[in-house]
Amino acid sequence: MQVVIIGSGNVASVLGRLCKQRGHEIVQVISRNAAHAKLLADELGCSYADYHEKLNDSAGLYILAVADTALQDLNESMNLGNKLILHTAGSVSKDVLKDISHNYGVLYPLQSLRKEMNYQTDIPFLIDGNSADTLTLVEDFAQTLSTNVTKATDDERLKLHVAAVVVSNFTNHLYALAEDFCKKEQVDFGLLSPLIKETAERIQHFSPATVQTGPAVRNDIFTIDKHLRILSNHPQLKNIYIKLTESISKG
Ligand SMILES: NC(=O)c1ccc[n+]([C@@H]2O[C@H](COP(=O)([O-])OP(=O)(O)OC[C@H]3O[C@@H](n4cnc5c(N)ncnc54)[C@H](OP(=O)(O)O)[C@@H]3O)[C@@H](O)[C@H]2O)c1
């Protein structure tokens, strides 16, 4: 399949590389900032352009991997006739593409993607299409990229996106706060690595609520008080500690 990548950030880079690895030909990278487009295009071995230049209109697929807020603007400025165009956003309806093409859909990677990372395992995709025929095309294409492809409506994808923010973005923020706390208190954050892995591994086998540990679930007020005292120098973390302790105690 000949593919045009629109965008040059994390998802554009990871999907561009994956498409190429799986035998598709990236024919153009288009991005708002031409220098960003060039960087990715050079890596993928194709031409590049910004939005003022001509879009390659001979490709079979257009992957629109741009900031959610930019999708509506592009809908108003692009026209691809019948060409298949897919966006990659978790919480934006596929219909944001309805004025660009008669064939549109979604290729949403249900994974946290950073362009500097090398992904060895299959990326899970949630897919959608504006008609049964389009959905079949999207599914066929997605299956060339991954063995983990699931159909999801706008509504289902939005709900999974909420859950994804909680399990990934929020936990990563907690890691960031804990790392900062460890640095300031001069203890080694790296020592927590086996604990982080064990917590994530365990919920592959058990429902999370059934394997909760720690002072909050034991209602251990004495330990919680000790923790709050040391956290008085770390107000942001203290606030979150109190909220999460309350949430765990409620069960
Ligand atoms: N990263 C993830 O883990 C992840 C996972 C699943 C889905 N997604 C979704 O994938 C999409 C892209 O995310 P990302 O992480 O790749 O974002 P990103 O790394 O921040 O890249 C954003 C891209 O959008 C372009 N852009 C930003 N504002 C724009 C505007 N106003 N007009 C036109 N282009 C604009 C940027 O172009 P320039 O650099 O040329 O300015 C850049 O190429 C989003 O819908 C996101 O929700 C992300």
Side-chain angles (χ1 to χ4, degrees), residues 142-215:
Q143 284 173 345
T144 68
L145 304 183
S146 172
T147 58
N148 189 344
V149 174
T150 308
K151 294 174 193 164
T153 62
D154 279 343
D155 196 39
E156 290 166 334
R157 184 164 30 84
L158 176 62
K159 290 173 186 168
L160 282 163
H161 191 223
V162 172
V165 166
V166 174
V167 301
S168 175
N169 304 154
F170 288 179
T171 49
N172 191 68
H173 179 63
L174 292 175
Y175 298 152
L177 290 174
E179 184 182 38
D180 184 56
F181 169 80
C182 288
K183 265 190 201 144
K184 287 180 178 149
E185 295 295 335
Q186 298 180 337
V187 289
D188 182 3
F189 176 71
L191 292 174
L192 296 163
S193 187
L195 174 61
I196 292 170
K197 286 191 188 129
E198 168 63 24
T199 311
E201 177 56 29
R202 194 184 291 159
I203 57 148
Q204 307 304 314
H205 311 289
F206 300 96
S207 171
T210 66
V211 288
Q212 185 71 49
T213 57

Side-chain angles (χ1 to χ4, degrees), residues 29-162:
V29 173
I30 294 235
S31 202
R32 176 178 61 169
N33 181 321
H36 295 173
K38 180 177 184 325
L39 212 60
L40 181 58
D42 286 351
E43 182 189 335
L44 299 174
C46 64
S47 67
Y48 71 94
D50 64 22
Y51 296 139
H52 305 294
E53 294 166 83
K54 191 173 164 5
L55 180 74
N56 180 322
D57 55 12
S58 65
L61 172 64
Y62 295 77
I63 298 178
L64 189 48
V66 297
D68 292 14
T69 46
L71 287 170
Q72 187 56 46
D73 295 345
L74 288 171
N75 181 51
E76 284 158 16
S77 62
M78 287 175 84
N79 194 320
L80 290 171
N82 281 324
K83 298 288 183 148
L84 179 58
I85 181 158
L86 307 175
H87 78 59
T88 62
S91 58
V92 182
S93 166
K94 61 183 173 301
D95 292 328
V96 76
L97 306 175
K98 69 179 170 25
D99 296 331
I100 299 183
S101 170
H102 301 301
N103 289 308
Y104 59 87
V106 179
L107 179 70
Y108 168 61
L110 186 54
Q111 182 57 279
S112 172
L113 301 178
R114 298 283 317 176
K115 60 179 153 193
E116 55 276 13
M117 302 294 289
N118 193 2
Y119 295 89
Q120 304 293 353
T121 53
D122 259 357
I123 294 174
F125 287 101
L126 300 184
I127 57 160
D128 198 2
N130 69 308
S131 68
D133 286 349
T134 304
L135 184 53
T136 302
L137 286 177
V138 181
E139 187 174 26
D140 289 347
F141 175 74
Q143 284 173 345
T144 68
L145 304 183
S146 172
T147 58
N148 189 344
V149 174
T150 308
K151 294 174 193 164
T153 62
D154 279 343
D155 196 39
E156 290 166 334
R157 184 164 30 84
L158 176 62
K159 290 173 186 168
L160 282 163
H161 191 223
V162 172

